Amino acid sequence: SFLRDSSSLHSSSVIPPSTIDTSAPEDSRASFRSTSLSALLPSIQARFPSIDPLYLTKTFRGTIGPTGLIWFDIGRQDTSPLDFSDFQHLLYCFEIYGQIVCMLAGPQGVDAQLELQSALADYRIRLLKMSKWATFESVKEWNGAFLDRRFQMGQDDPEGWREKREDLEMLLRRKM
């Protein structure tokens, strides 16, 4: 179970933003270009206190990588496997990631944040539809390839989340 108990949601102490390297030259970051991580980190940590600030920083910088989303399992135990156990687990971690991305996009304004939330919802629906006919391993591979592109091209770009990506279809395999 992902949420073992409600106490696990608030088990970590908040690390002060001053102890985390949040520098990122604007020219090396594709996402959140109008966002100051230092300003948003306290509110994100208040919402998700058990997520290591390192992974929030990696999300901000676009260096988290698709498998890094496993660290957004807020009920995760240190001995848990470093992989998604099934489709529900992948979607759960993506949901937490999506909430963090929307919080990071907050300085762009409410309309932009709502559009991003809508695009992320469309993406989750696409994953849900795929999971009905494609194997979990192939959906995970497709999702990883799609996320790699979003990390490079902009996590806060709603149109990017709606991109068709026909070039990735060969990664999907039908369930038997």
Side-chain angles (χ1 to χ4, degrees):
S1 149
F2 303 120
L3 293 175
R4 289 167 182 83
D5 60 60
S6 62
S7 65
S8 68
L9 291 173
H10 304 289
S11 60
S12 295
S13 60
V14 175
I15 297 173
S18 60
T19 62
I20 301 163
D21 177 12
T22 59
S23 63
E26 288 300 310
D27 58 349
S28 69
R29 202 175 67 231
S31 305
F32 318 117
R33 292 174 79 62
S34 63
T35 300
S36 163
L37 181 60
S38 311
L40 289 176
L41 196 57
S43 63
I44 296 171
Q45 283 190 286
R47 173 88 170 98
F48 300 109
S50 63
I51 296 176
D52 188 323
L54 170 67
Y55 300 106
L56 300 174
T57 303
K58 285 177 171 269
T59 299
F60 177 72
R61 291 180 176 165
T63 60
I64 185 86
T67 56
L69 269 57
I70 193 77
W71 299 105
F72 295 135
D73 179 345
I74 55 179
R76 188 180 188 305
Q77 302 297 314
D78 287 337
T79 59
S80 300
L82 291 175
D83 199 4
F84 302 104
S85 56
D86 55 26
F87 178 73
Q88 291 82 4
H89 188 213
L90 181 141
L91 200 60
Y92 166 78
C93 293
F94 182 81
E95 174 61 28
I96 302 300
Y97 160 80
Q99 290 183 33
I100 292 166
V101 165
C102 285
M103 292 175 82
L104 288 169
Q108 296 174 20
V110 174
D111 289 343
Q113 200 174 24
L114 289 174
E115 183 62 24
L116 181 58
Q117 286 177 354
S118 176
L120 289 166
D122 292 345
Y123 183 77
R124 286 189 305 274
I125 290 168
R126 185 188 319 182
L127 289 177
L128 285 163
K129 286 179 180 178
M130 277 183 214
S131 75
K132 292 171 76 174
W133 62 268
T135 66
F136 165 62
E137 288 301 320
S138 70
V139 171
K140 184 170 72 169
E141 187 177 358
W142 186 95
N143 179 62
F146 193 97
L147 289 176
D148 272 336
R149 174 130 172 125
R150 293 292 17 104
F151 296 142
Q152 294 168 9
M153 303 303 291
Q155 301 169 79
D156 55 353
D157 172 21
E159 291 312 308
W161 288 105
R162 293 184 175 116
E163 201 174 24
K164 294 292 181 216
R165 297 299 309 267
E166 286 90 9
D167 59 314
L168 299 179
E169 286 181 20
M170 80 277 189
L171 298 175
L172 295 170
R173 295 176 301 283
R174 289 207 168 274
K175 291 179 182 177
M176 296 291 174

